[in-house]
Amino acid sequence: MVVVKVGEFMENEKVYRMSFSKVYPLLVAKAQRKGRTRAEVDEVISWLTGYTKEELPSLIEKEISYGDFFRKAPHLNDNRVLITGVVCGVRVEEIGEPLMREIRYLDKLVDELAKGRAMEKIFRK
């Protein structure tokens, strides 16, 4: 049983309702500030979610919610459970709410990308 506090639930819902088209440029900007590319961010997103790089622009255009972006992901990578560490002061592997954990996995991968980590390590190969 997952216990979620009322305030935490409201915050989670706020994140889930955000438009992926608003979040995506923030992820790209974070990586680009550290010398990484949009193509690398797209590769990370594709690895995690199963969306192709060609599908991403249409998802941005449709203004799909961030929650639905993950709920409707074609294939969440089985190796995503190997993603560990801290994002926003919380250990991703300890996040009880499954959808929020998926979102934080992506945050963590983009953090690793921005820190210069090799793609092979990001992809847990």
Side-chain angles (χ1 to χ4, degrees), residues 30 83-95 104 107-109 111-112 115:
K30 182 178 200 170
I83 301 168
T84 60
V86 178
V87 173
C88 299
V90 178
R91 295 201 67 76
V92 292
E93 62 271 24
E94 294 175 2
I95 297 172
R104 295 304 183 195
D107 290 341
K108 182 65 178 165
L109 293 177
D111 282 352
E112 290 177 0
K115 289 178 181 173

Side-chain angles (χ1 to χ4, degrees), residues 22 28 53 56-57 84 86 118:
K22 301 274 192 255
V28 171
K53 295 172 198 170
L56 292 177
T84 60
V86 178

Side-chain angles (χ1 to χ4, degrees), residues 40-107:
E40 288 174 311
V41 173
D42 291 352
E43 191 175 345
V44 165
I45 292 171
S46 295
W47 177 87
L48 180 64
T49 63
Y51 290 113
T52 66
K53 295 172 198 170
E54 294 76 26
E55 290 174 305
L56 292 177
S58 67
L59 292 167
I60 292 167
E61 244 178 62
K62 290 179 187 176
E63 297 218 6
I64 187 171
S65 73
Y66 206 28
D68 283 346
F69 176 78
F70 283 95
R71 286 183 197 105
K72 295 177 180 183
H75 176 71
L76 293 170
N77 193 299
D78 294 335
N79 285 343
R80 72 191 188 286
V81 297
L82 301 175
I83 301 168
T84 60
V86 178
V87 173
C88 299
V90 178
R91 295 201 67 76
V92 292
E93 62 271 24
E94 294 175 2
I95 297 172
E97 208 289 300
L99 183 55
M100 183 54 69
R101 187 177 327 115
E102 301 301 338
I103 289 170
R104 295 304 183 195
Y105 282 152
L106 180 55
D107 290 341

